[in-house]
Amino acid sequence: MTINRRNMMAGAGAGLAVLGLGRQATAQPRNPAWPRALNMGTAAPGGTYALYGPAWGQIVQEATGINISFRTTQGPNQNIILVQRREVELGMVTMGVALQAWNGEGAWTQGNKFRDIRALFPMYDTPFHGIALKRSGITQMSQLAGKNVGVGPRGGTPGTYFPLMLDRLGYKPATIRFGSGSDMSGQLQDGLLDAFLFASGVPIPAFSEAETQGEVNFLDFTAEDVTKLTQAFPELSAGTVAGSTYRTAGRDLRVVGMFNFAIGHKSLSDDLVYEMVKAVLSQNARLKQVIAAGSETLASNASKNTFLPFHPGAARYLREVGQTIPDNLVLA
């Protein structure tokens, strides 16, 4: 996993204008059998989902004529719960959280197996890293022992994994706080947090904002940390965030990460899912204009999913464009 330099959005408004997200479309499904509206679970402001979700949702809306609405959630964990219950039909997840959901592992699942979710298409890689104010003197993860640390929403990927990762590494914070990316960034600036750890598509909006407000240190992992984490959590992979990703990082960051996928409820019709996946994956250049992480939204990254069944409509399109999707990884 290597995260190359991404151009930051030239203002969210400019990017969203490319997709016409300022318009409220009238739902006129191109197929009368399709629903007039669908709901998508995204995440709180400050992370990538909050921007990425409306970006691909608008592409789908234009391709299908179905009105897509967006629900702010705590992230992947809650998105899975909501899709399982059909409170939303679409969502976004990291594959580590999806693996916990499928197997009913992890405290948040309460032993329940979420087997009505289906993979739609690959989104982008999520690297785990952090920031601290330069005046704190914190320059590495090992210094977080005994500190106040923020890790994003409790139901998000960093909120789920960072407490486990820090425990595995033996870096026990005094407190771990949860909240939106923007809230964590504000608490960091106010001195309520010593460090803010997050995982999202890069550049993480909240990190980029923080480095414009003051001097920060970027926190990554040692080679020994990476070995321990990838051995303890096989769903994580070693990688690098290029130093040029952030304006003031000054060096490449050694990270671990996991891939993100869009998901849908199994009840969505095959032809509708086919058209949705086709619309997103065939318009990568357009998606990248809005959200830098879209550069990894490629059919070739379907191989990043090795366990979560693809929706038959998604598998049909991926196979048409040359991807190998095993029969045992497709489930109606």
Side-chain angles (χ1 to χ4, degrees):
M1 174 190 70
T2 299
I3 310 298
N4 297 317
R5 178 172 179 80
R6 315 280 172 76
N7 293 324
M8 285 192 62
M9 291 167 50
L16 298 179
V18 173
L19 287 177
L21 287 177
R23 302 191 304 266
Q24 182 65 40
T26 301
Q28 293 291 339
R30 295 191 177 179
N31 183 331
W34 293 346
R36 293 179 61 86
L38 293 172
N39 298 300
M40 180 193 301
T42 57
T48 306
Y49 282 12
L51 299 173
Y52 189 101
W56 76 266
Q58 179 66 22
I59 290 175
V60 166
Q61 180 168 293
E62 292 182 7
T64 64
I66 295 172
N67 189 57
I68 308 294
S69 298
F70 307 98
R71 177 168 173 176
T72 299
T73 70
Q74 291 188 16
N77 307 41
Q78 190 178 12
N79 288 341
I80 288 170
I81 293 170
L82 293 174
V83 171
Q84 176 76 21
R85 294 174 177 171
R86 293 188 68 182
E87 292 183 35
V88 302
E89 295 83 10
L90 304 170
M92 296 171 286
V93 303
T94 47
M95 296 310 281
V97 170
L99 181 61
Q100 290 182 348
W102 192 256
N103 292 329
E105 299 172 345
W108 69 274
T109 69
Q110 299 182 345
N112 297 310
K113 296 181 179 180
F114 296 81
R115 296 292 176 92
D116 290 346
I117 61 173
R118 298 291 182 267
L120 301 183
F121 61 84
M123 291 167 45
Y124 55 84
D125 202 17
T126 289
F128 290 74
H129 53 306
I131 56 172
L133 298 183
K134 190 172 289 288
R135 66 173 181 262
S136 72
I138 297 173
T139 60
Q140 53 190 344
M141 292 284 186
S142 61
Q143 293 175 280
L144 298 180
K147 302 296 184 181
N148 298 320
V149 176
V151 294
R154 187 181 297 272
T157 298
T160 298
Y161 272 87
F162 261 122
L164 300 174
M165 293 161 66
L166 293 174
D167 183 67
R168 177 71 178 94
L169 295 173
Y171 308 151
K172 185 174 178 58
T175 60
I176 293 178
R177 295 181 180 174
F178 303 92
S180 70
S182 56
D183 182 43
M184 297 285 95
S185 183
Q187 290 190 42
L188 182 72
Q189 298 294 338
D190 292 340
L192 300 175
L193 293 176
D194 296 302
F196 170 27
L197 310 180
F198 207 57
S200 185
V202 295
I204 294 175
F207 284 10
S208 296
E209 180 183 358
E211 66 176 344
T212 67
Q213 296 176 342
E215 293 185 310
V216 301
N217 291 328
F218 283 85
L219 311 180
D220 59 352
F221 299 97
T222 66
E224 183 181 1
D225 288 342
V226 170
T227 298
K228 287 182 179 179
L229 292 174
T230 53
Q231 288 178 347
F233 307 100
E235 60 269 36
L236 296 176
S237 59
T240 302
V241 173
S244 56
T245 302
Y246 296 100
R247 185 173 57 84
T248 62
R251 61 186 175 86
D252 291 349
L253 305 177
R254 183 185 288 113
V255 299
V256 293
M258 62 178 64
F259 225 78
N260 294 260
F261 269 71
I263 62 168
H265 193 271
K266 68 178 185 179
S267 63
L268 293 170
S269 68
D270 292 3
D271 58 340
L272 173 55
V273 170
Y274 172 88
E275 293 297 337
M276 289 195 296
V277 174
K278 178 181 179 180
V280 175
L281 294 183
S282 66
Q283 298 187 67
N284 182 259
R286 187 179 176 207
L287 185 63
K288 288 189 295 184
Q289 286 183 282
V290 179
I291 183 73
S295 63
E296 294 181 292
T297 305
L298 305 170
S300 58
N301 281 325
S303 61
K304 302 293 185 180
N305 172 26
T306 60
F307 70 91
L308 184 63
F310 280 98
H311 192 288
R316 175 188 163 199
Y317 177 76
L318 290 166
R319 285 167 170 169
E320 281 186 4
V321 295
Q323 302 308 306
T324 300
I325 309 296
D327 288 342
N328 64 0
L329 205 58
V330 182
L331 185 62

